[in-house]
Every structure is written in structure tokens, then in C-alpha cells.
Amino acid sequence: MHRLTFWMALLGLGTSVTALDPVEAYGNKFFNKDGSQFFVKGVAYQLVPEDPLIDADQCKRDFPLMKELGVNTIRVYHVDADGKHDGCMKAMDDAGIYLLVDMDTFGTYIEPTGLYWNFTQYEKYSKVMDAFHTYNNVLGFFVGNENIAKKEDSPAAPFLKAAARDLKAYRDQKGYRTIPVGYSAADIVQLRPMLQDYLTCGGNSSEIVDFFALNSYSWCDPSNFNTSSYNMLQEYAKDFPVPIFFSETGCNVPGPRLWDDQDAIFNKPMIDDWSGSIIYEWLEEQNHYGLISYGPKADPAQPGENVVDGFPRKGTPTPVSPDFNNLKTKWANIHPTGVMKKDYDTKKVSTRPCPTSTADGWWRVNGNVKLPTLGEKLTGTFTSQASATADPSDKPKSSPSPSPSPSHSSNDGNNAKDGKKGEDNGASSDRRIAVFGVSAAAIVLGFALLL
């Protein structure tokens, strides 16, 4: 027995067993393996610009405290596909936490200017999928974050949809688990609800996003369901065809944060259509959205090791008062149950018609336009095509393999309500900075040695 334990430890078998089962996107909901509905209670986690999931020691400090807070999901905006992530993913798994990860890198963000989706971007995004697909606790991938946030940006939407199409096809052709691929949008009044409808319209399940997420800061305590405009967000989300959730929220104006929006998100009527929320953010930095700090602020003019803009990025996490405890108390009293998968009827979801261009110029994509091929740039206008006929409850189908061809500002249109200024967004400022296991062979070897 001791000998067996020794060889298992030597080969890492003792750490290869995961506690979490994959979560599935089905209809407009997420479901656990046991059929219960999964709701996101998350935080944004980007300690350093390049990749916070390569520092296993820091992950082991942070994730137990996240578990205490009530977190079951984190969102990471940038990762290094060549980095080693086993340590952090194991620490995450031990704490019962899932991962939502953005696929873009500093040089591959799908910009609303230029309008292209090229092979370099495709290759970089697919490498992120390659690096993370083996982990059961990966909940989903984002193909973009707030790419469309200004009046002139909507023509980028078909390129985002093309990216989702090609990455889903890559996932399926590689035989990977059907990890959902989605998009995180800025909450812009003039773009509601055209963008979310467009990314899920057309009737071809291989071309739509698997989920849609929203970065919204319109609920600033004290507020309520109507004043915050959550009533309109709910109206647009009713019977939405894919899971929809808040990928950033947590207005800190005037502060302290009371998190009353969480009561709305996890109760009727929103609980019937929304799948939870991600709080912005874990780390205290210049925008003062942090739930924890790693020490007192330093002089920004004197950068030190693991210090950026005067804020420590590593160490023992200390809760920021009262926001951390307010959220901990709030989540401790919120226990959404939702619906069991066996009792869920996907025929209740509704795919909206593809939106037509608007007279005010905010939405410029006229109907179900033909998606660009990989490497194609927009040189004229989009060509419309008829919507396909498809059951929105169908599982995504593979599309042909794509082949290479020869300021963030969530304030636009929402200044009166938005409690978070675009320049404070950690993910966006990162863009501006610059651009489990054991192999089968090892297992066989271990048992061979035992024999």
C-alpha cells in the first residue's frame, strides 16, 4: 500500500483527479452533470497583464479566500497559451471554481477599425483553446470583450460572429469537449438589443455564439430594478436562445457597494433567463473596484517588484472593507435553484430576427449578412442572406474547416447611469500596455513499475 502511494505521488496521479465535472450549455441555461442548473457567482481576476494563471503559489493564496467569499467562477482576460497552468487550475478546482477565459492577446484583439478576422488571430485564439480544453473546470471562452462600444463600431459584429464560428468548428474538429464560445459586450443603450440578437440570429447553430455576456454598471446602490434599467435588460433577455449573464458588474458609485443588484439577478423574473454575474474585480488598483488588496499603495513613481501603478499584485490577499464582507453576506443568503435539465423545455427559447440597420447609425449591419471568411476584409458593404431554418435547441454543428485566405468605453450612450469609467477598465488598459493530469504513457509506466 505504501509502495502504491509512493509511485502515485511520484507520477502525480494523486493530483490528477479533478473534483469538478464539466458544465454544459443547453438551451439558454448552464447545467451541472447531475442535471441541476448552474449559476455563475464570479469575480474578474487579472493580477498581471499577461497571465495570472501561471503563478501557482499566488493562486493557492487567492482561491481559498474566493471560496470563502462564495465564488464559483473567475474570468481571466489574458493568458499565455505557452504558459504552465496546471498548478492554478488544480488550485481552482480544489476551491470549486470554474474558469471563463478570453482568447484574444494584446496583438490579436478584433478591432472595430480595419475590419478583419485573419489567420494570425485564429491561430492565437485556437492555441488558447488547445491550452485549456483538457481542464474540466473551464466553463467557456470569450472571442471578444467590448469590441463594439462606439457609434461607428457595429460593422465589426460579423467578424466577431465569424470568429465564434471558426473557433467552434476548430473545437469540434479537434474532438474537444463542447466548451461554449461566447462574447462579452459593453452595455450601450443604443446597441441594445441589436448586438445580442445579431450574434444569435440566422438559424445556423454553427455560426452563432454559444452564450452572450454583458458588462453593465447601471445598478449603482441605492437603486432598484427599474431605475437601474435592469427591467429593460430583462425584457431583452426573456427566452433568449443561449445562456446570458453579466460578465462584469459592480458599480462603486457612490459606495460602499451593497450588492443589491445580486438580489435582482438571482431572483424572479431575472433568474428565469439570466445565469448569474461576475463581479469586477478581485484586485484593488487605481479604479478602486477591488475586493482584496495585497498591501498598502506604494509611490507609483517608484515601481517595485510585483507592483504596478503603485498597487501590489502579489502576496497575502486582504479583504477590502466593507465591500468584500458585504458581497460575502449577500451571496451567502442567495441560493438559486433554477430548473432541472430533465424538466427544461428548450422550445421555450426564441431566436430573434437578425436586426436591420438603424436610422441613427448606431447599428449598421443590415439583417443576416454573409459572414466573412477567414482572412477576408470588408472592402464594400455586407451582403445579406436568408436566415436558415433551425431548431435553436440543436447542439452546435461543425462548419467546414476554415482555411487561410491569399477604448473600451461602456459610457457611450449611458453616461447618466454608468458607474464605471472606460479608462478604469483593467482589461482594456491591459490591451493598451502592449500589445491534468498525467499522460497515458506515465500511467502505464507507473503500473509497469509497480508490477
Side-chain angles (χ1 to χ4, degrees):
M1 186 67 180
H2 290 296
R3 190 180 179 190
L4 175 62
T5 303
F6 168 78
W7 282 109
M8 289 180 68
L10 181 63
L11 292 171
L13 294 177
T15 61
S16 66
V17 178
T18 60
L20 296 177
D21 291 313
V23 167
E24 173 191 12
Y26 180 72
N28 68 349
K29 304 187 187 305
F30 293 117
F31 288 100
N32 295 299
K33 185 178 180 179
D34 65 2
S36 60
Q37 190 174 346
F38 178 85
F39 292 93
V40 173
K41 287 184 177 179
V43 294
Y45 186 74
Q46 192 76 38
L47 308 186
V48 293
E50 294 80 12
D51 189 345
L53 299 182
I54 58 175
D55 188 343
D57 290 337
Q58 189 58 48
C59 289
K60 291 174 183 176
R61 297 186 189 105
D62 288 335
F63 295 155
L65 185 59
M66 285 189 192
K67 181 178 181 179
E68 178 185 322
L69 177 61
V71 170
N72 66 13
T73 306
I74 65 170
R75 178 186 180 180
V76 174
Y77 298 89
H78 293 292
V79 292
D80 178 1
D82 295 321
K84 297 184 181 301
H85 302 103
D86 285 357
C88 280
M89 294 304 295
K90 177 62 168 60
M92 200 183 307
D93 189 271
D94 290 342
I97 295 173
Y98 288 86
L99 172 68
L100 285 161
V101 60
D102 290 61
M103 305 175 83
D104 66 89
T105 59
F106 295 126
T108 60
Y109 187 73
I110 300 174
E111 298 287 352
T113 56
L115 296 177
Y116 59 83
W117 162 243
N118 63 31
F119 189 76
T120 298
Q121 294 167 311
Y122 169 77
E123 186 178 45
K124 294 290 187 181
Y125 286 40
S126 61
K127 282 188 66 176
V128 173
M129 186 177 287
D130 291 340
F132 285 91
H133 78 94
T134 58
Y135 302 111
N136 280 351
N137 56 333
V138 172
L139 179 60
F141 296 107
F142 292 103
V143 295
N145 177 64
E146 301 194 355
N147 305 66
I148 297 173
K150 301 188 297 297
K151 188 173 184 178
E152 63 271 21
D153 290 350
S154 63
F159 293 88
L160 293 166
K161 201 168 182 178
R165 172 202 64 197
D166 293 344
L167 270 300
K168 289 170 61 172
Y170 179 84
R171 173 198 67 195
D172 297 342
Q173 289 151 11
K174 295 284 284 188
Y176 294 163
R177 173 169 63 88
T178 309
I179 303 173
V181 176
Y183 176 70
S184 173
D187 181 14
I188 310 298
V189 171
Q190 291 88 341
L191 292 172
R192 300 178 188 166
M194 286 80 75
L195 180 56
Q196 69 185 55
D197 289 351
Y198 172 74
L199 292 177
T200 56
C201 76
N204 188 340
S205 61
S206 69
E207 292 187 345
I208 66 172
V209 294
D210 294 323
F211 63 84
F212 182 86
L214 190 68
N215 297 342
S216 179
Y217 295 83
S218 64
W219 187 306
C220 299
D221 293 320
S223 191
N224 59 54
F225 188 64
N226 293 328
T227 303
S228 65
S229 80
Y230 271 38
N231 60 330
M232 294 306 301
L233 297 182
Q234 167 58 20
E235 182 66 24
Y236 298 143
K238 187 172 178 58
D239 297 326
F240 197 61
V242 298
I244 184 170
F245 59 93
F246 291 90
S247 44
E248 285 182 14
T249 191
C251 172
N252 64 358
V253 177
R257 292 182 283 184
L258 305 177
W259 311 108
D260 287 345
D261 63 321
Q262 300 300 293
D263 290 320
I265 293 169
F266 292 105
N267 283 285
K268 287 186 176 294
M270 296 188 79
I271 195 174
D272 292 334
D273 300 290
W274 293 80
S275 292
S277 67
I278 296 175
I279 303 302
Y280 190 85
E281 64 176 322
W282 180 247
L283 170 68
E284 175 70 354
E285 48 185 334
Q286 63 267 26
N287 55 33
H288 299 299
Y289 276 83
L291 293 170
I292 66 93
S293 71
Y294 296 118
K297 183 179 179 181
D299 183 356
Q302 302 294 325
E305 186 178 5
N306 302 314
V307 175
V308 178
D309 297 326
F311 289 87
R313 305 283 170 145
K314 184 173 182 174
T316 301
T318 301
V320 171
S321 181
D323 289 13
F324 181 97
N325 285 328
N326 284 352
L327 181 59
K328 178 181 176 181
T329 299
K330 180 67 71 175
W331 273 351
N333 290 292
I334 292 176
H335 305 287
T337 54
V339 62
M340 293 296 293
K341 183 179 178 181
K342 64 181 177 60
D343 300 322
Y344 173 59
D345 184 4
T346 58
K347 293 180 181 178
K348 290 183 178 180
V349 305
S350 59
T351 300
R352 281 70 157 167
C354 293
T356 55
S357 56
T358 56
D360 61 10
W362 274 86
W363 187 254
R364 305 182 187 184
V365 183
N366 197 22
N368 186 33
V369 301
K370 184 178 182 295
L371 297 185
T373 58
L374 184 61
E376 180 182 356
K377 296 181 70 171
L378 180 64
T379 57
T381 57
F382 294 110
T383 302
S384 294
Q385 61 180 352
S387 294
T389 300
D391 183 347
S393 67
D394 285 347
K395 291 187 176 181
K397 304 176 181 66
S398 298
S399 61
S401 177
S403 57
S405 300
S407 110
H408 163 82
S409 178
S410 58
N411 298 315
D412 290 282
N414 203 16
N415 283 321
K417 297 177 181 176
D418 198 338
K420 172 168 168 285
K421 303 305 179 186
E423 293 304 312
D424 290 338
N425 187 316
S428 298
S429 61
D430 286 349
R431 287 204 303 269
R432 294 189 293 269
I433 290 174
V435 286
F436 158 33
V438 179
S439 69
I443 296 174
V444 172
L445 174 63
F447 281 103
L449 289 171
L450 286 171
L451 295 174

